[in-house]
Amino acid sequence: DSGVTQTPKHLITATGQRVTLRCSPRSGDLSVYWYQQSLDQGLQFLIQYYNGEERAKGNILERFSAQQFPDLHSELNLSSLELGDSALYFCASSVGDRGTNEKLFFGSGTQLSVL
Amino acid sequence: ILNVEQSPQSLHVQEGDSTNFTCSFPSSNFYALHWYRWETAKSPEALFVMTLNGDEKKKGRISATLNTKEGYSYLYIKGSQPEDSATYLCAPGGGTSYGKLTFGQGTILTVHP
């Protein structure tokens, strides 16, 4: 158990809908990262928050947004969903803001299926 | 964004065999290299984070080396066990990338009893 909690584990929805994925980092970690794992794609970095502020951004679609709340949990909002958004979404956390030189601790992921 | 290549894509070995695989990445703007183990139905688990050229890290039967000048890292597993079966991911991070690690596609290792 990494200590990172993601909910829900599975989500099935229809095209055009909006969903919210939730992540609680390990106790003491200030950074939260969101990654997307699609079929035939490696883990794709979406966005990082550190202590409530956006710190780094990857190839995140404009239909996707995220935020980190004062209690450090984070939410990833996906709207106007398309079939291609079906993927496994991971949240990870780390202590500092420099995820490049410290280990990331991954949650168990949310499997999103868009029908 | 750093491009990263891992080879081989998959590997089948017998229990007790030693094995190794490679992660290649552009050597410019390098800051750190991560290795993760991802077992089926679980989440990726960090093995090593390496930053210095010539770095060697070890965790039990697993070790890794880093060459930042030529842009590669090797992961070694000595005396493979069935429980080592997993996908091994490497992820380099650039100096200005903060948390933006670029993960490779991974090497899928299967250890047969």
Side-chain angles (χ1 to χ4, degrees), chain A residues 43-96:
Chain A
L43 280 167
Q44 301 288 315
F45 172 75
L46 295 178
I47 198 163
Q48 176 202 1
Y49 278 84
Y50 174 75
N51 205 20
E53 294 187 1
E54 183 183 305
R55 187 55 64 105
K57 211 166 185 176
N59 295 327
I60 187 168
L61 299 171
E62 284 190 12
R63 299 183 286 107
F64 295 1
S65 65
Q67 55 183 326
Q68 185 179 29
F69 295 87
D71 67 352
L72 301 177
H73 91 271
S74 177
E75 292 181 357
L76 179 67
N77 299 297
L78 315 176
S79 61
S80 301
L81 285 167
E82 301 175 359
L83 296 177
D85 297 327
S86 296
L88 183 56
Y89 291 85
F90 280 109
C91 163
S93 72
S94 70
V95 174

Coordinates of all heavy atoms in Angstrom, one line a residue, chain A residues 43-96:
Chain A
L43 N 2.8 5.8 -19.6 CA 2.2 6.7 -18.7 C 2.5 8.1 -19.2 O 3.6 8.5 -19.3 CB 2.8 6.5 -17.3 CG 2.3 5.3 -16.5 CD1 3.3 5.1 -15.3 CD2 0.9 5.6 -16.0
Q44 N 1.4 8.9 -19.4 CA 1.5 10.2 -19.9 C 1.3 11.2 -18.7 O 0.2 11.2 -18.1 CB 0.5 10.5 -21.0 CG 0.6 9.5 -22.2 CD 1.9 9.8 -23.0 OE1 2.2 11.0 -23.3 NE2 2.6 8.8 -23.4
F45 N 2.2 12.1 -18.5 CA 2.1 13.1 -17.5 C 1.0 14.1 -17.9 O 1.0 14.7 -19.0 CB 3.4 13.8 -17.3 CG 3.4 15.0 -16.4 CD1 3.2 14.8 -15.0 CD2 3.5 16.3 -16.9 CE1 3.2 15.9 -14.2 CE2 3.4 17.4 -16.0 CZ 3.3 17.2 -14.7
L46 N 0.1 14.4 -17.0 CA -0.9 15.4 -17.2 C -0.6 16.7 -16.5 O -0.5 17.8 -17.1 CB -2.3 14.9 -16.8 CG -2.8 13.7 -17.5 CD1 -4.2 13.2 -17.0 CD2 -3.0 14.0 -19.0
I47 N -0.5 16.7 -15.2 CA -0.3 17.9 -14.4 C 0.2 17.6 -13.0 O 0.0 16.5 -12.5 CB -1.7 18.6 -14.4 CG1 -1.5 20.1 -14.0 CG2 -2.7 17.9 -13.5 CD1 -2.7 21.0 -14.4
Q48 N 0.9 18.6 -12.5 CA 1.4 18.5 -11.1 C 0.9 19.7 -10.3 O 0.9 20.8 -10.8 CB 2.9 18.5 -11.1 CG 3.5 18.5 -9.7 CD 4.9 18.9 -9.6 OE1 5.5 19.3 -10.6 NE2 5.5 18.9 -8.4
Y49 N 0.5 19.4 -9.1 CA 0.2 20.5 -8.1 C 1.1 20.3 -6.9 O 1.4 19.2 -6.5 CB -1.3 20.4 -7.7 CG -2.2 21.1 -8.6 CD1 -2.7 20.4 -9.7 CD2 -2.6 22.4 -8.5 CE1 -3.5 21.0 -10.7 CE2 -3.4 23.1 -9.4 CZ -3.9 22.3 -10.5 OH -4.7 22.9 -11.4
Y50 N 1.5 21.5 -6.4 CA 2.4 21.5 -5.2 C 1.8 22.5 -4.2 O 1.7 23.7 -4.5 CB 3.8 21.9 -5.5 CG 4.7 22.0 -4.3 CD1 5.1 20.9 -3.6 CD2 5.0 23.3 -3.8 CE1 5.9 21.1 -2.4 CE2 5.8 23.5 -2.7 CZ 6.2 22.3 -2.0 OH 7.0 22.5 -0.9
N51 N 1.3 22.0 -3.1 CA 0.8 22.8 -2.0 C -0.3 23.7 -2.5 O -0.3 24.9 -2.1 CB 1.9 23.6 -1.3 CG 1.6 23.9 0.1 OD1 0.7 23.3 0.7 ND2 2.2 24.9 0.6
G52 N -1.1 23.2 -3.4 CA -2.3 24.0 -3.8 C -2.0 24.8 -5.1 O -3.0 25.3 -5.7
E53 N -0.8 24.8 -5.6 CA -0.5 25.6 -6.8 C -0.1 24.7 -8.0 O 0.6 23.7 -7.7 CB 0.6 26.6 -6.6 CG 0.1 27.7 -5.6 CD 1.2 28.8 -5.5 OE1 2.2 28.7 -6.2 OE2 1.0 29.7 -4.7
E54 N -0.5 25.0 -9.2 CA -0.1 24.3 -10.3 C 1.4 24.5 -10.5 O 1.9 25.6 -10.5 CB -0.8 24.7 -11.6 CG -0.5 24.0 -12.8 CD -1.2 24.5 -14.0 OE1 -2.4 24.6 -14.0 OE2 -0.5 24.9 -15.0
R55 N 2.2 23.4 -10.7 CA 3.6 23.5 -10.8 C 4.1 23.1 -12.2 O 5.1 23.6 -12.6 CB 4.3 22.6 -9.7 CG 5.8 22.8 -9.6 CD 6.2 24.2 -9.4 NE 5.7 24.8 -8.2 CZ 6.4 25.0 -7.1 NH1 7.7 24.7 -7.1 NH2 5.9 25.6 -6.0
A56 N 3.5 22.1 -12.8 CA 4.0 21.6 -14.1 C 2.8 21.1 -14.9 O 1.8 20.6 -14.3 CB 5.1 20.6 -14.0
K57 N 2.9 21.3 -16.2 CA 1.8 20.9 -17.0 C 2.3 20.0 -18.2 O 3.3 20.4 -18.8 CB 1.0 22.1 -17.5 CG -0.4 21.9 -17.8 CD -1.1 23.3 -18.0 CE -2.6 23.2 -18.1 NZ -3.2 24.5 -18.2
G58 N 1.6 18.9 -18.4 CA 2.0 18.1 -19.6 C 1.0 18.3 -20.7 O 0.4 19.4 -20.9
N59 N 0.7 17.3 -21.5 CA -0.2 17.4 -22.6 C -1.6 17.2 -22.1 O -2.3 16.3 -22.6 CB 0.2 16.3 -23.7 CG 1.5 16.6 -24.3 OD1 1.9 17.8 -24.4 ND2 2.2 15.6 -24.6
I60 N -2.1 18.0 -21.2 CA -3.4 17.9 -20.7 C -4.4 18.6 -21.6 O -4.1 19.7 -22.0 CB -3.5 18.4 -19.2 CG1 -4.9 18.1 -18.6 CG2 -3.1 19.9 -19.1 CD1 -4.9 18.3 -17.1
L61 N -5.5 17.9 -22.0 CA -6.4 18.5 -22.9 C -7.2 19.7 -22.2 O -7.3 19.7 -20.9 CB -7.5 17.5 -23.3 CG -6.9 16.3 -24.0 CD1 -8.0 15.2 -24.2 CD2 -6.4 16.7 -25.4
E62 N -7.7 20.6 -23.0 CA -8.4 21.8 -22.4 C -9.7 21.3 -21.7 O -10.2 22.0 -20.8 CB -8.7 22.8 -23.5 CG -7.5 23.6 -23.9 CD -7.9 24.7 -24.8 OE1 -9.1 25.0 -24.9 OE2 -7.0 25.4 -25.4
R63 N -10.2 20.2 -22.1 CA -11.4 19.6 -21.5 C -11.2 19.1 -20.1 O -12.1 18.7 -19.4 CB -12.0 18.5 -22.4 CG -12.4 18.9 -23.8 CD -13.0 17.8 -24.6 NE -12.1 16.8 -25.0 CZ -11.9 15.5 -24.5 NH1 -12.7 15.2 -23.5 NH2 -11.0 14.7 -24.9
F64 N -9.9 18.9 -19.8 CA -9.5 18.4 -18.5 C -9.0 19.5 -17.6 O -8.3 20.4 -18.1 CB -8.4 17.4 -18.6 CG -8.7 16.1 -19.4 CD1 -10.0 15.9 -19.9 CD2 -7.8 15.1 -19.5 CE1 -10.3 14.8 -20.6 CE2 -8.1 13.9 -20.2 CZ -9.3 13.8 -20.8
S65 N -9.3 19.4 -16.3 CA -8.8 20.4 -15.4 C -8.5 19.7 -14.0 O -9.1 18.7 -13.8 CB -9.8 21.6 -15.2 OG -11.0 21.1 -14.6
A66 N -7.7 20.3 -13.2 CA -7.4 19.7 -11.9 C -7.3 20.9 -10.9 O -7.1 22.0 -11.3 CB -6.2 18.9 -12.0
Q67 N -7.4 20.5 -9.7 CA -7.0 21.4 -8.6 C -6.6 20.6 -7.4 O -6.9 19.4 -7.3 CB -8.2 22.3 -8.3 CG -9.5 21.6 -8.0 CD -10.7 22.6 -7.7 OE1 -10.5 23.7 -7.2 NE2 -11.9 22.2 -8.1
Q68 N -5.9 21.3 -6.5 CA -5.5 20.7 -5.2 C -6.1 21.6 -4.1 O -5.9 22.8 -4.1 CB -4.0 20.6 -5.1 CG -3.5 19.9 -3.9 CD -2.0 19.8 -3.8 OE1 -1.3 20.6 -4.3 NE2 -1.5 18.8 -3.1
F69 N -6.7 21.0 -3.2 CA -7.4 21.7 -2.1 C -6.5 22.0 -0.9 O -5.4 21.4 -0.8 CB -8.7 21.0 -1.8 CG -9.7 20.9 -2.9 CD1 -9.6 19.9 -3.8 CD2 -10.7 21.8 -3.0 CE1 -10.5 19.8 -4.9 CE2 -11.6 21.8 -4.0 CZ -11.5 20.7 -5.0
P70 N -6.9 22.9 0.0 CA -6.1 23.1 1.2 C -5.8 21.9 2.0 O -4.7 21.9 2.6 CB -7.0 24.1 2.0 CG -7.8 24.8 1.0 CD -8.1 23.8 -0.1
D71 N -6.6 20.9 2.0 CA -6.2 19.7 2.7 C -5.3 18.8 1.9 O -5.0 17.7 2.3 CB -7.5 18.9 3.2 CG -8.2 18.3 2.0 OD1 -7.9 18.6 0.8 OD2 -9.2 17.5 2.2
L72 N -4.9 19.2 0.7 CA -3.9 18.6 -0.2 C -4.5 17.5 -1.1 O -3.8 17.0 -1.9 CB -2.7 18.1 0.5 CG -1.9 19.2 1.3 CD1 -0.7 18.5 2.0 CD2 -1.4 20.3 0.4
H73 N -5.8 17.2 -0.9 CA -6.3 16.2 -1.8 C -6.5 16.9 -3.2 O -6.6 18.2 -3.3 CB -7.6 15.6 -1.3 CG -8.9 16.3 -1.7 ND1 -9.4 17.3 -0.9 CD2 -9.7 16.1 -2.8 CE1 -10.6 17.7 -1.5 NE2 -10.7 17.0 -2.6
S74 N -6.6 16.1 -4.2 CA -6.7 16.7 -5.6 C -7.8 16.1 -6.3 O -8.2 14.9 -6.0 CB -5.4 16.5 -6.3 OG -5.4 17.0 -7.7
E75 N -8.4 16.8 -7.2 CA -9.4 16.3 -8.1 C -9.0 16.6 -9.6 O -8.5 17.7 -9.9 CB -10.8 16.9 -7.8 CG -11.3 16.5 -6.4 CD -12.6 17.1 -6.1 OE1 -13.2 17.9 -6.9 OE2 -13.2 16.7 -5.0
L76 N -9.3 15.6 -10.4 CA -9.1 15.7 -11.8 C -10.5 15.7 -12.5 O -11.2 14.7 -12.3 CB -8.2 14.6 -12.4 CG -8.0 14.6 -13.9 CD1 -7.1 15.8 -14.3 CD2 -7.3 13.3 -14.3
N77 N -10.8 16.8 -13.2 CA -12.2 16.9 -13.8 C -12.0 16.6 -15.3 O -11.2 17.3 -15.9 CB -12.8 18.3 -13.5 CG -13.0 18.5 -12.1 OD1 -13.7 17.8 -11.4 ND2 -12.2 19.5 -11.5
L78 N -12.8 15.7 -15.8 CA -12.8 15.4 -17.2 C -14.2 15.7 -17.8 O -15.1 15.2 -17.3 CB -12.4 13.9 -17.5 CG -11.3 13.4 -16.6 CD1 -11.1 11.9 -16.9 CD2 -10.0 14.1 -16.9
S79 N -14.2 16.6 -18.8 CA -15.5 17.0 -19.3 C -15.6 16.7 -20.8 O -14.6 16.4 -21.4 CB -15.8 18.5 -19.0 OG -14.8 19.3 -19.7
S80 N -16.9 16.8 -21.3 CA -17.2 16.5 -22.7 C -16.4 15.2 -23.1 O -15.7 15.2 -24.1 CB -16.7 17.7 -23.6 OG -17.4 18.8 -23.2
L81 N -16.6 14.2 -22.4 CA -15.8 12.9 -22.5 C -16.0 12.3 -23.9 O -17.1 12.3 -24.5 CB -16.2 11.9 -21.5 CG -15.6 12.2 -20.1 CD1 -16.3 11.4 -19.0 CD2 -14.1 12.1 -20.1
E82 N -14.9 11.8 -24.4 CA -14.9 11.1 -25.7 C -14.4 9.7 -25.5 O -13.8 9.4 -24.5 CB -13.9 11.8 -26.7 CG -14.3 13.3 -26.9 CD -13.3 14.0 -27.8 OE1 -12.3 13.4 -28.1 OE2 -13.5 15.2 -28.0
L83 N -14.7 8.8 -26.5 CA -14.3 7.4 -26.4 C -12.8 7.3 -26.1 O -12.4 6.5 -25.3 CB -14.6 6.7 -27.7 CG -16.1 6.6 -28.0 CD1 -16.3 5.9 -29.3 CD2 -16.9 5.9 -26.9
G84 N -12.0 8.2 -26.7 CA -10.6 8.1 -26.6 C -10.1 8.5 -25.2 O -8.9 8.4 -24.9
D85 N -11.0 9.0 -24.3 CA -10.5 9.3 -23.0 C -10.5 8.1 -22.1 O -10.1 8.2 -20.9 CB -11.5 10.4 -22.4 CG -11.5 11.7 -23.2 OD1 -10.4 12.1 -23.7 OD2 -12.5 12.4 -23.3
S86 N -11.0 7.0 -22.6 CA -11.0 5.8 -21.8 C -9.6 5.4 -21.5 O -8.8 5.3 -22.4 CB -11.7 4.6 -22.6 OG -13.1 4.9 -22.8
A87 N -9.3 5.3 -20.2 CA -7.9 5.0 -19.8 C -7.8 4.8 -18.3 O -8.9 4.9 -17.6 CB -7.0 6.3 -20.1
L88 N -6.6 4.4 -17.9 CA -6.4 4.3 -16.5 C -5.7 5.6 -16.0 O -4.7 5.9 -16.6 CB -5.5 3.1 -16.2 CG -5.1 2.6 -14.8 CD1 -6.3 2.4 -14.0 CD2 -4.2 1.4 -14.9
Y89 N -6.3 6.2 -15.1 CA -5.8 7.5 -14.6 C -5.1 7.2 -13.2 O -5.8 6.8 -12.3 CB -6.9 8.5 -14.5 CG -7.4 9.0 -15.8 CD1 -8.3 8.2 -16.5 CD2 -6.8 10.1 -16.5 CE1 -8.8 8.6 -17.8 CE2 -7.2 10.4 -17.8 CZ -8.2 9.7 -18.4 OH -8.6 10.1 -19.7
F90 N -3.8 7.6 -13.1 CA -3.1 7.4 -11.9 C -2.9 8.8 -11.2 O -2.6 9.8 -11.9 CB -1.8 6.8 -12.1 CG -1.8 5.3 -12.3 CD1 -1.6 4.7 -13.5 CD2 -2.0 4.5 -11.2 CE1 -1.6 3.4 -13.7 CE2 -2.0 3.1 -11.3 CZ -1.8 2.5 -12.6
C91 N -2.9 8.8 -9.9 CA -2.4 9.9 -9.1 C -1.2 9.4 -8.4 O -1.1 8.2 -8.0 CB -3.5 10.3 -8.1 SG -3.0 11.3 -6.8
A92 N -0.2 10.3 -8.3 CA 1.0 10.0 -7.5 C 1.3 11.2 -6.6 O 0.8 12.3 -6.8 CB 2.2 9.7 -8.4
S93 N 2.1 10.9 -5.6 CA 2.4 12.0 -4.7 C 3.9 11.9 -4.3 O 4.5 10.9 -4.4 CB 1.5 12.1 -3.4 OG 1.9 11.0 -2.5
S94 N 4.4 13.1 -3.9 CA 5.8 13.1 -3.4 C 5.9 14.2 -2.4 O 5.0 15.1 -2.3 CB 6.8 13.4 -4.5 OG 6.7 14.7 -5.0
V95 N 7.0 14.2 -1.6 CA 7.1 15.2 -0.5 C 7.3 16.6 -1.1 O 6.6 17.6 -0.7 CB 8.3 14.8 0.3 CG1 8.6 15.9 1.4 CG2 8.1 13.5 1.0
G96 N 8.3 16.8 -2.0 CA 8.6 18.1 -2.5 C 8.0 18.4 -3.8 O 7.1 17.8 -4.3

